[in-house]
Amino acid sequence: MNMLDIIEPQGLNRKTRRRTKKRLRQTSIQNIERGLHYFYVTQQVRRGDRSFVWPVLYLVHQDSAGETHVVRVESLLDYFEDHSAKEHQWRLNNVRGVGQLIEHSVEMLKYMSDEQRRAPDEPIERYLLRKFALNIVNGTTAVDEGIAKDALGLYWKPRAKEADRILANVSAYLTWLGEREESRRWAFAASVADVENTPLYAFRKAAELAIRKKVSLLSHIKQEARAPRHRFAAITGEHSQSTNPVYAFPTKYVAPMMFEAFRTAEGEIDHEAELIALILLAGGLRSCEPFHLYVSDVQFLGDEPVIFLHHPEDSEIINGRKKMSRRKYLEERFKLLPRTLQMGPGKAGWKSVLGDVDGTPVHWLPLDELQELLTQKLRRYILQIRPAILRARPKHLGDHPFLFVNARDATASGGGNIGDPYTMSAFKGAWERAIRRLALLYDDPDLTVKKETGTSLHGPRHFYGRFLRTLELPPDIIQLAMHHKSILSQNVYTRLTSAEVNALLKQSASKANLTEMTTAVMGSVQKFRNHYMNAGAV
């Protein structure tokens, strides 16, 4: 094993090659993404006495004898272990970013002339990093006389919106790598005159400067000036946060979202998506949280539904007469993994939630009409719709405790069997169709899925937080309602628009406008409820 902790199977060792091939065969092809010189696989990884499901980066190259080598980047797994509280998407972003850096560096080294490689005014490492940043933003393809040409052969499209995230992730990883003593010794050892066209060499050259100087990818600052997340902010045009944007779901579309958005022109209703959207709006949950709910997590106290959020792995549940963790319960009773540990479509993330190990209740917005609608739909789904779906499920597929399930067989399109746990990708597709449906119904061409307009999957949580702010609730109550571990986390959700701030200042004596949001939502819900009650469609 070399100083970067990269495992490299020897090409002439038959046993090693067989083990590598066996490991790849055991991995679902749906979880493999690849480039020209790398691929990554989401698979189970053991670190010490613990097991994780992480994306693993592999490099592929041929030696002079034509032997193919598969190289696992072990340092990335160390990096993930040091940041094990991060979400799965963060790890995916890091694997993709490092893979793209390697891909780009290999092709750049092929393209560079001897003069460029030995240019005294700019080290080769600096040149590789700078060109990587430029090509992430602008793409690698140029149109010449109507023909797309790419000297690097990568054919990257411009990714200005993603550039800051990609470069920030790569910068943070290289900075972490530079803090390891063995990595810095390895970096100096990579300073050789001859250029090798291999992913390993390309990675060493691209990373050498950052590793040697530790934080050279990050801009240094003077006095109180704030540093950008990466040194290429001038290239990507990193935007200022001073505009104080508000990302809440638009109030005027709350009721239409509940009653119209998930209904087709033929009257068919997507019950799972409609109910999840209602829970997000009324309870302020993150979009991933409903996918961990069990049927037993839902109770009814009179006309009020009570839903408890539980940590998908560590929270305890009673199985028979004994208590056990949800992870053990799923494994022993249903031969399933928690959705945080699953690979493929069944994957659902989980962010830290205040009180989730013991179980913490969802707090509904204080709107009677909303709670009545939620009670009615939840009862119908649990007592009628879900049992009917599971009766149509083939017995050999078995049961599971998850609340939301596929309403139909979608195996032909890769969507799973009828009765399988409902997936986040299915909900995302249903949400996007719902927004498009509302845009047509209300002739609003600006109504598209955008974070800036509050119509992303996180928009309902912002709507919930801002609603609580208009009720003048103290910060500690908002913290509990939104299940934040830090009282400061609510700040991004409770921001008001400039118009709302001005209105509050002008009307601070009467405070009459504080009930306006409540009145608007309740009146709108009542209007739609009466319409659909009369039509018998609720």
Side-chain angles (χ1 to χ4, degrees):
M1 192 176 295
N2 57 37
M3 291 184 180
L4 190 59
D5 295 332
I6 290 179
I7 297 176
E8 181 171 8
Q10 298 301 312
L12 300 179
N13 187 319
R14 290 184 179 180
K15 289 184 178 180
T16 303
R17 290 205 305 270
R18 283 201 299 269
R19 284 197 299 269
T20 301
K21 291 177 181 178
K22 182 179 179 182
R23 182 170 65 242
L24 297 182
R25 281 199 304 270
Q26 290 174 339
T27 306
S28 169
I29 194 69
Q30 292 182 352
N31 298 303
I32 296 178
E33 294 185 35
R34 66 164 299 158
L36 296 173
H37 307 285
Y38 76 94
F39 65 90
Y40 66 87
V41 188
T42 300
Q43 60 184 174
Q44 197 167 51
V45 178
R46 285 204 67 83
R47 310 297 288 175
D49 60 349
R50 295 199 64 187
S51 181
F52 303 93
V53 177
W54 287 343
V56 181
L57 181 64
Y58 293 89
L59 310 184
V60 181
H61 69 93
Q62 288 186 333
D63 60 19
S64 57
E67 287 285 346
T68 299
H69 296 252
V70 178
V71 181
R72 189 169 91 167
V73 184
E74 197 74 10
S75 63
L76 257 182
L77 299 180
D78 292 341
Y79 183 53
F80 293 166
E81 189 175 17
D82 281 359
H83 299 80
S84 57
K86 294 284 190 178
E87 295 178 332
H88 182 71
Q89 188 60 49
W90 175 85
R91 287 185 282 273
L92 281 177
N93 291 341
N94 274 276
V95 166
R96 287 169 178 155
V98 174
Q100 289 163 357
L101 172 65
I102 294 169
E103 189 99 306
H104 181 270
S105 300
V106 172
E107 299 306 316
M108 279 299 302
L109 286 171
K110 293 178 183 177
Y111 181 69
M112 292 172 65
S113 65
D114 291 340
E115 290 75 17
Q116 287 176 309
R117 292 170 178 171
R118 297 179 175 84
D121 55 335
E122 184 174 33
I124 185 174
E125 314 92 293
R126 164 66 186 171
Y127 181 78
L128 290 174
L129 290 170
R130 182 171 60 84
K131 292 298 288 186
F132 174 65
L134 286 166
N135 286 333
I136 283 288
V137 175
N138 303 317
T140 58
T141 305
V143 178
D144 185 9
E145 297 181 354
I147 300 174
K149 296 182 180 180
D150 186 347
L152 298 179
L154 296 175
Y155 294 95
W156 286 357
K157 295 180 180 179
R159 287 176 288 177
K161 291 184 179 180
E162 302 174 78
D164 284 328
R165 173 179 56 76
I166 293 171
L167 295 173
N169 285 336
V170 172
S171 295
Y173 165 65
L174 293 179
T175 300
W176 171 88
L177 199 60
E179 294 170 352
R180 303 174 63 180
E181 190 66 28
E182 65 270 22
S183 295
R184 288 188 283 119
R185 290 200 303 271
W186 161 84
F188 284 115
S191 300
V192 295
D194 295 330
V195 174
E196 304 172 21
N197 290 323
T198 69
L200 246 125
Y201 179 85
F203 182 33
R204 287 170 173 164
K205 292 309 296 182
E208 182 182 344
L209 191 66
I211 291 172
R212 188 165 62 242
K213 296 188 177 180
K214 289 191 177 182
V215 293
S216 65
L217 278 179
L218 303 176
S219 295
H220 293 282
I221 55 174
K222 293 182 179 180
Q223 298 177 350
E224 294 81 20
R226 181 182 177 186
R229 293 183 297 165
H230 53 84
R231 72 175 300 161
F232 300 107
I235 294 174
T236 64
E238 199 166 40
H239 299 293
S240 170
Q241 298 297 317
S242 61
T243 53
N244 200 33
V246 175
Y247 301 126
F249 189 85
T251 303
K252 66 178 180 180
Y253 287 121
V254 169
M257 197 70 176
M258 296 176 191
F259 289 93
E260 296 180 316
F262 296 96
R263 300 166 186 258
T264 66
E266 294 75 26
E268 185 179 355
I269 303 174
D270 188 338
H271 293 286
E272 289 75 23
E274 185 180 63
L275 189 48
I276 291 173
L278 179 55
I279 290 173
L280 297 183
L281 286 162
L285 271 63
R286 299 178 179 91
S287 59
C288 61
E289 290 169 353
F291 297 88
H292 299 283
L293 293 175
Y294 292 1
V295 176
S296 58
D297 293 333
V298 183
Q299 302 173 20
F300 295 94
L301 296 178
D303 292 331
E304 182 178 349
V306 179
I307 293 180
F308 286 88
L309 296 178
H310 293 273
H311 192 283
E313 300 173 43
D314 301 331
S315 189
E316 290 188 332
I317 190 169
I318 299 177
N319 182 23
R321 294 185 177 181
K322 61 180 180 179
K323 285 185 178 182
M324 60 178 61
S325 69
R326 293 203 164 201
R327 177 174 182 172
K328 189 174 181 181
Y329 173 69
L330 286 173
E331 290 174 350
E332 290 188 0
R333 181 81 179 271
F334 304 102
K335 308 300 181 188
L336 293 173
L337 284 172
R339 301 188 73 167
T340 49
L341 302 179
Q342 290 184 25
M343 296 184 286
K347 177 77 178 181
W350 185 264
K351 197 171 183 179
S352 58
V353 173
L354 182 65
D356 58 358
V357 174
D358 297 322
T360 183
V362 177
H363 301 280
W364 308 114
L365 291 179
L367 302 173
D368 293 339
E369 294 290 338
L370 211 59
Q371 292 187 16
E372 288 177 17
L373 183 65
L374 188 58
T375 301
Q376 182 182 11
K377 288 185 176 296
L378 265 174
R379 276 185 173 151
R380 185 183 176 200
Y381 186 77
I382 292 173
L383 299 178
Q384 298 178 27
I385 297 173
R386 188 181 186 276
I389 293 172
L390 291 182
R391 281 195 297 269
R393 179 176 171 83
K395 290 185 178 180
H396 73 273
L397 294 175
D399 198 3
H400 62 80
F402 293 104
L403 175 61
F404 297 106
V405 297
N406 285 347
R408 57 185 61 83
D409 190 323
T411 50
S413 59
N417 292 284
I418 184 172
D420 280 355
Y422 192 60
T423 65
M424 289 193 68
S425 59
F427 177 61
K428 183 180 178 182
W431 177 274
E432 291 172 353
R433 290 191 296 273
I435 296 296
R436 289 197 298 269
R437 197 171 288 126
L438 289 183
L440 290 173
L441 286 172
Y442 291 88
D443 192 23
D444 187 350
D446 295 328
L447 190 60
T448 57
V449 179
K450 286 183 181 178
K451 179 181 179 181
E452 293 77 9
T453 58
T455 49
S456 71
L457 291 178
H458 210 52
R461 185 163 170 83
H462 283 272
F463 165 80
Y464 179 89
R466 291 185 66 243
F467 200 113
L468 298 183
R469 173 70 178 273
T470 66
L471 297 177
E472 291 194 306
L473 294 173
D476 59 330
I477 299 300
I478 296 178
Q479 177 190 3
L480 292 173
M482 300 193 73
H483 307 107
H484 283 140
K485 288 191 173 180
S486 168
I487 199 169
L488 302 177
S489 299
Q490 65 187 268
N491 292 344
V492 70
Y493 297 98
T494 55
R495 289 191 300 231
L496 301 177
T497 64
S498 297
E500 288 168 332
V501 172
N502 289 335
L504 285 171
L505 290 173
K506 291 178 181 178
Q507 302 177 27
S508 58
S510 64
K511 298 182 181 178
N513 68 314
L514 292 178
T515 60
E516 185 176 326
M517 192 173 187
T518 304
T519 304
V521 174
M522 288 189 67
S524 186
V525 171
Q526 180 67 52
K527 174 184 173 182
F528 276 91
R529 182 178 172 82
N530 291 340
H531 173 75
Y532 282 97
M533 283 287 286
N534 294 334
V538 173

